[in-house]
Amino acid sequence: MEVEPEILKLSYPDGAKDAETLMVDPISKDIFILTKRDSLNILYKTTQEAFESKEAVLEKVMELPFTMSVAGDISVDGKEILIKNYFTVYYWKRNVNETIAQALARDPLILPYKPEPQGEAISFHPNGKSYFTLSEKRFNIEPVLYRYNRK
C-alpha cells in the first residue's frame, strides 16, 4: 500500500533548535515539539489546520524546568502526559478543560525509570495502565523494551 504524506514545513520563531520530542494532543489536536538542548527545554506548538498552508511558524508556549528531553507522550484520552530525558520520567495529570500548557505549568511527579544506555523513547500503553521506554543501541548493548505497570 502506498501512502502520500502531507508535508508541513515548520520553523521556530527564534531560530533553529534541536528537538526529539513530538506529541499530539488527542483533545485539541495541537502538535507539540519540545526542544532538547536548551538549559530550560522550550515547548512549541502548531495546529492541525497548519497543514492546509503547508508552512507554519511554531508558537512558543513555555519553558520547562529541565533539559535534554528526548521523548514524550500524551495518553489516548488526553488526560495524562509523560516527558523523559536520559535520567527521569516526568508525569502530569491533566484536569478537565485544561490545556497542555496549563497542566505542564504544575510541578510534575517523577515516575519509576531504570536509566538505559541511550533511552530515547517513551509511550503510554493504549489502556493507560502502563508505559514503555526503549533505548537506542549504545556501547554494544542491545535495546531492551521496558514496561512499567501502574497501580
Side-chain angles (χ1 to χ4, degrees), residues 41-108:
N41 288 170
I42 304 169
L43 185 69
Y44 294 88
K45 80 172 186 177
T46 191
T47 64
Q48 292 288 328
E49 291 76 28
F51 278 97
E52 295 170 13
S53 55
K54 310 271 190 242
E55 289 189 25
V57 176
L58 291 163
E59 173 189 340
K60 184 176 179 179
V61 177
M62 66 190 305
E63 293 180 340
L64 292 168
F66 45 81
T67 189
M68 299 305 285
S69 297
V70 294
D73 194 22
I74 301 171
S75 61
V76 173
D77 61 9
K79 294 179 181 178
E80 299 175 281
I81 306 162
L82 291 172
I83 295 174
K84 76 174 291 297
N85 62 19
Y86 291 118
F87 306 106
T88 307
V89 171
Y90 302 98
Y91 168 86
W92 294 263
K93 184 82 172 165
R94 184 178 182 187
N95 297 322
V96 176
N97 298 320
E98 189 172 53
T99 67
I100 294 294
Q102 289 168 330
L104 295 179
R106 291 193 306 278
D107 290 337

Side-chain angles (χ1 to χ4, degrees), residues 3 5-6 9 17 22 29 46 56 62-63 68-69 75 83 87 90 93-94 98 100 111 113 131 135 137 139 141 151:
V3 176
E6 292 182 72
K9 183 178 178 183
K17 305 286 181 186
L22 172 70
K29 309 299 186 228
T46 191
M62 66 190 305
E63 293 180 340
M68 299 305 285
S69 297
S75 61
I83 295 174
F87 306 106
Y90 302 98
K93 184 82 172 165
R94 184 178 182 187
E98 189 172 53
I100 294 294
L111 295 188
Y113 175 60
Y131 59 95
S135 179
K137 184 175 182 177
F139 307 122
I141 299 171
K151 299 182 190 236

Side-chain angles (χ1 to χ4, degrees), residues 110-151:
I110 306 300
L111 295 188
Y113 175 60
K114 178 181 166 113
E116 302 157 297
Q118 191 164 348
E120 295 198 3
I122 194 163
S123 180
F124 281 105
H125 188 287
N127 69 16
K129 295 181 180 174
S130 57
Y131 59 95
F132 300 89
T133 66
L134 181 67
S135 179
E136 296 178 2
K137 184 175 182 177
R138 186 158 190 204
F139 307 122
N140 280 335
I141 299 171
E142 293 295 326
V144 174
L145 179 65
Y146 290 92
R147 180 177 66 196
Y148 297 87
N149 294 317
R150 304 189 309 156
K151 299 182 190 236

